[in-house]
Amino acid sequence: MLDSPNSNVFLRILLVEDNPDDAELVLRTLRKGGYNLDSLRVDNEQDLKDALENSTWDVVLSDYSMPGFSGLAALNILKEQNLDLPFIIISGTIGEEVAVEAMRLGAHDYLMKNNLIRLVPAIQRELHDANERYARRIAEQTLRHQAYHDVLTGLPNRWLLRDRMEQALAYVRKKDLHMGVLFLDLDRFKNLNDTLGHLVGDHLLRAVADRLKKVLSAWDTIARLGGDDFVLLLPDIKKTSALEEKAQELLALFETPFELSGKSIYLDVSIGIAAYPDNGQDSDTLLKNAEATMYYAKAQGGKNYQFCSGDIQSATVDRFTIENELRVAIKNSELLLHYQPQFSLEDDSITGVEVLVRWQHPQRGMTPPDKFIPVAEDTGLIIPLGEWVLQKTVDDIARMREAGITLPRVAVNLSARQLYHHDTQDTLRKLMATGNLGSDVLEVEITESGIMQNPELAAENLITMKSIGVGVAIDDFGTGYSSLAYLKRFPIDVLKIDRAFVRDITLSSDDASIVKAILALAKALNLHVIAEGLETQAQYDYLKELGCNEGQGYMYARPMPFDDLLEFIREKRGA
Ligand code: C2E
Ligand code: CA
Ligand code: CA
């Protein structure tokens, strides 16, 4: 076999054989077959284990019975070590029956010592099969990895997280330990993604994943559930203060900006924390409660962490149903609009209304917007919902006119997501063209923080809105970071002072000076100012003295249905 296909093939042979002469015979046969050999002979359990541990082998050739050791015992050791090596028994004594039994136990072939003709072909075949098994194993591993990992970040996905949670739960239950689930969601990420593009969004998510990995210790898992949702699983928590420390560590990770193609992008994160056993006994419940708590953290303004509480737990049940039910709410005419009058601080006349959406849920009853607007923003449902609000508002303005009433201003809230979504411009253009509105009736309210998400695009879109006759109000003003210089770039008609400042204006000198500054700024820019959440006479007097133009709040009127509004206006106007 001089021109053997095996020439120069390098083979690492582990021989399990007590007889050196027999071993030499086997090796000679292989060399004749063209193989370059590296070999070791062992004849007891310990030596075999050492050999397997210390080196890599291509094939194991084993005698069947040896003094104090056997081929089957050797086979077992390979199995124990999870080694899938070709294992061929070479014996002088083996009978057919024993050989079949050995193969049943996992030996790949058997040969007689006195007839080694089949040795080389057997090894060729077994190496080939072993290669295929290896390739298949890798393919399966890759598939399994893909099934259990997030493609974008390489982090474990929802399914692997669930697996790990189940394992961890089994452990902590037995040991009477705690386990923490931290649900992370990036603040305003969806808007960044909409405005900067998905490629940038993907880069950011990867960068976030890399940072999050930094706080992992050996037993922790960080998973990405999709979108900008990440979950940190901390099994084996001894006290809840450890969870708090971890949450602080996570928040600190976001203090430095993310650098992307020369731009610094600041991201913040909201964290909801649920702990076993207090906030749930199983992985689904824990995850659901952690997520709900994250939404609660977001509602507190974002960039913070919250612990799950009984209140949040009961509120959550809704969150998931809300998403599904909201989808049909528009079609089922469950949404309706309330109107809250705005009034002049000079003569108490009604100057406009703010449109506030309500959801008359068939079972839950009247649901406040704080419960479903965030869900709508998150899921993108805000786009059809917002369109419905705009259309209905325009219809109602027409009905009002039919009843002989016109208003200088009807203000509709626009979410940041709507501000940046191109459909909104189209909708507004269509409504302004066909809605038969008087001049300057329709106004949109956009929060200061919404504008600051992408000031350039915001300015562009607001200029378009102005050009088709829509008024622009900045909502919740004073809570964002915009400066006087910034405001000049936007075509703004109205500033609405956030009700947080109005609330304590007569008590807190800080709040009073912020309001004074806003009023001075507004005067310089020739903007109209509306104080939100006006509840008391003291607030009213103070604001009036400072020169604030208008107010809106319970002291004048609460939000009310359309028919009540008509009556209210008639009464005010003495008609
Ligand atoms: P907002 O734009 O700041 O709306 C004013 C909120 O303050 C309203 O709450 C209103 O009922 C409440 N309010 C008015 N006067 C007073 C007062 O004197 N004291 C107090 N404590 N509160 C007062 P509401 O109706 O629950 O709306 C909450 C938020 O939901 C709104 O805050 C707005 O951001 C959002 N929202 C409401 N309708 C829509 C909508 O159609 N589209 C969008 N995108 N968001 C909406
Ligand atoms: Ca508003
Ligand atoms: Ca507001």
Side-chain angles (χ1 to χ4, degrees):
M1 279 202 211
L2 278 179
D3 54 349
S4 148
N6 302 318
S7 53
N8 296 325
V9 172
F10 185 70
L11 202 60
R12 291 160 298 192
I13 294 278
L14 183 57
L15 285 156
V16 185
E17 171 64 75
D18 61 309
N19 184 333
D21 293 342
D22 286 355
E24 191 45 47
L25 187 67
V26 167
L27 293 176
R28 215 181 307 139
T29 311
L30 287 173
R31 280 195 209 98
K32 261 205 215 152
Y35 286 111
N36 275 330
L37 295 183
D38 188 359
S39 66
L40 179 71
R41 183 177 67 82
V42 295
D43 61 4
N44 63 71
E45 182 176 329
Q46 193 53 53
D47 286 355
L48 174 63
K49 282 184 177 164
D50 290 348
L52 291 172
E53 199 158 304
N54 299 330
S55 313
T56 315
W57 303 100
D58 297 313
V59 180
V60 180
L61 302 176
S62 175
D63 196 356
Y64 184 72
S65 60
M66 292 157 274
F69 200 34
S70 77
L72 292 186
L75 190 56
N76 255 334
I77 290 171
L78 259 78
K79 262 198 217 159
E80 271 165 25
Q81 303 204 0
N82 243 330
L83 287 171
D84 180 23
L85 286 176
F87 188 97
I88 298 173
I89 291 182
I90 302 177
S91 162
T93 55
I94 195 167
E96 189 81 10
E97 242 162 75
V98 178
V100 168
E101 176 64 5
M103 302 227 357
R104 200 183 60 79
L105 290 173
H108 292 101
D109 204 350
Y110 70 94
L111 302 170
M112 291 302 179
K113 280 183 179 175
N114 55 13
N115 184 6
L116 288 178
I117 288 175
R118 279 205 308 117
L119 181 59
V120 169
I123 285 186
Q124 275 175 345
R125 186 195 63 232
E126 287 311 322
L127 284 176
H128 173 264
D129 287 0
N131 273 337
E132 287 207 326
R133 283 199 301 277
Y134 178 73
R136 202 160 50 230
R137 231 174 10 248
I138 293 290
E140 276 163 11
Q141 268 171 16
T142 314
L143 277 180
R144 201 169 327 132
H145 185 87
Q146 280 170 356
Y148 279 112
H149 289 80
D150 163 47
V151 183
L152 182 67
T153 60
L155 293 179
N157 65 10
R158 181 184 293 278
W159 310 115
L160 185 50
L161 175 71
R162 190 181 297 260
D163 257 26
R164 299 246 173 108
M165 282 180 91
E166 294 298 335
Q167 278 170 20
L169 277 169
Y171 179 78
V172 295
R173 268 185 208 123
K174 232 184 282 161
K175 302 261 170 184
D176 234 356
L177 290 166
H178 297 270
M179 180 176 105
V181 180
L182 281 67
F183 202 109
L184 287 76
D185 185 286
L186 304 174
D187 296 338
R188 296 178 307 273
F189 181 78
K190 282 165 187 104
N191 275 303
L192 271 179
N193 213 28
D194 287 351
T195 55
L196 298 178
H198 291 267
L199 271 182
V200 177
D202 286 355
H203 274 296
L204 276 173
L205 287 171
R206 272 195 291 263
V208 167
D210 287 343
R211 277 199 199 175
L212 291 177
K213 283 185 210 156
K214 289 190 187 148
V215 299
L216 286 196
S217 42
W219 304 110
D220 303 347
T221 296
I222 178 94
R224 176 174 175 245
L225 301 194
D228 57 339
D229 292 343
F230 295 87
V231 171
L232 183 57
L233 174 67
L234 307 173
D236 197 3
I237 293 286
K238 281 172 195 83
K239 43 188 193 311
T240 41
S241 62
L243 293 174
E244 184 145 23
E245 277 163 31
K246 204 50 130 187
Q248 278 161 358
E249 237 180 292
L250 288 167
L251 284 180
L253 286 179
F254 289 83
E255 273 163 16
T256 40
F258 292 82
E259 305 294 339
L260 262 193
S261 47
K263 265 194 189 167
S264 297
I265 298 173
Y266 280 92
L267 284 176
D268 288 321
V269 67
S270 298
I271 305 171
I273 306 171
Y276 170 88
D278 295 353
N279 310 125
Q281 306 283 329
D282 59 85
S283 53
D284 280 351
T285 311
L286 284 164
L287 211 51
K288 202 167 78 180
N289 283 333
E291 181 174 15
T293 310
M294 178 278 291
Y295 280 105
Y296 179 72
K298 263 197 198 295
Q300 307 310 301
K303 199 182 181 175
N304 73 105
Y305 59 86
Q306 299 286 335
F307 282 92
C308 184
S309 67
D311 284 352
I312 296 175
Q313 257 168 255
S314 47
T316 27
V317 194
D318 297 353
R319 217 208 162 249
F320 296 89
T321 33
I322 279 177
E323 180 183 338
N324 292 323
E325 293 175 353
L326 196 53
R327 290 181 193 279
V328 287
I330 304 176
K331 275 189 233 122
N332 291 357
S333 314
E334 289 164 23
L335 296 181
L336 50 116
L337 299 181
H338 277 183
Y339 297 86
Q340 186 176 32
Q342 300 170 333
F343 63 105
S344 159
L345 292 187
E346 274 145 42
D347 60 10
D348 279 359
S349 66
I350 179 164
T351 51
V353 289
E354 177 176 1
V355 181
L356 294 157
V357 69
R358 298 289 181 262
W359 182 7
Q360 179 64 56
H361 188 278
Q363 284 92 39
R364 272 195 305 277
M366 199 65 94
T367 310
D370 293 348
K371 275 259 186 306
F372 63 91
I373 292 288
V375 181
E377 285 172 342
D378 248 41
T379 51
L381 283 171
I382 193 70
I383 301 298
L385 189 156
E387 229 163 81
W388 179 86
V389 170
L390 283 167
Q391 178 67 57
K392 176 76 175 133
T393 299
V394 168
D395 292 348
D396 280 356
I397 293 174
R399 276 167 69 200
M400 224 183 303
R401 180 121 35 85
E402 277 163 29
I405 291 171
T406 56
L407 279 174
R409 178 196 305 123
V410 178
V412 177
N413 290 286
L414 273 201
S415 286
R417 205 130 186 216
Q418 290 171 273
L419 171 63
Y420 298 113
H421 200 285
H422 44 81
D423 281 1
T424 306
Q425 307 287 340
D426 296 343
T427 305
L428 282 170
R429 198 173 278 122
K430 198 185 76 202
L431 289 175
M432 293 305 284
T434 61
N436 191 23
L437 299 167
S439 62
D440 269 340
V441 239
L442 196 63
E443 186 169 276
V444 290
E445 292 191 3
I446 293 146
T447 61
E448 185 188 5
S449 55
I451 285 184
M452 295 308 288
Q453 281 169 31
N454 186 341
E456 282 87 27
L457 189 57
E460 201 178 297
N461 289 349
L462 291 178
I463 287 167
T464 310
M465 290 181 194
K466 280 244 56 144
S467 73
I468 54 175
V470 176
V472 175
I474 304 298
D475 207 354
D476 302 348
F477 190 74
T479 55
Y481 332 81
S482 49
S483 64
L484 171 61
Y486 238 108
L487 277 184
K488 276 199 272 192
R489 302 168 45 181
F490 301 102
I492 301 168
D493 303 289
V494 172
L495 281 189
K496 299 188 76 177
I497 303 179
D498 192 67
R499 61 176 180 277
F501 300 112
V502 174
R503 189 181 53 222
D504 296 335
I505 195 169
T506 55
L507 309 169
S508 148
S509 58
D510 279 357
D511 286 351
S513 49
I514 289 171
V515 171
K516 276 183 207 162
I518 294 174
L519 286 167
L521 153 70
K523 204 168 176 190
L525 291 177
N526 207 9
L527 301 175
H528 222 70
V529 178
I530 303 178
E532 289 188 312
L534 213 51
E535 292 181 354
T536 68
Q537 189 66 37
Q539 293 164 342
Y540 175 95
D541 292 342
Y542 193 89
L543 281 159
K544 188 170 173 167
E545 197 186 303
L546 289 179
C548 180
N549 313 101
E550 290 183 39
Q552 177 183 342
Y554 295 167
M555 76 168 285
Y556 190 73
R558 289 185 179 249
M560 58 186 89
F562 183 77
D563 292 340
D564 293 4
L565 175 72
L566 293 190
E567 203 164 309
F568 181 88
I569 298 175
R570 287 202 187 101
E571 226 164 78
K572 275 284 161 196
R573 293 184 175 167

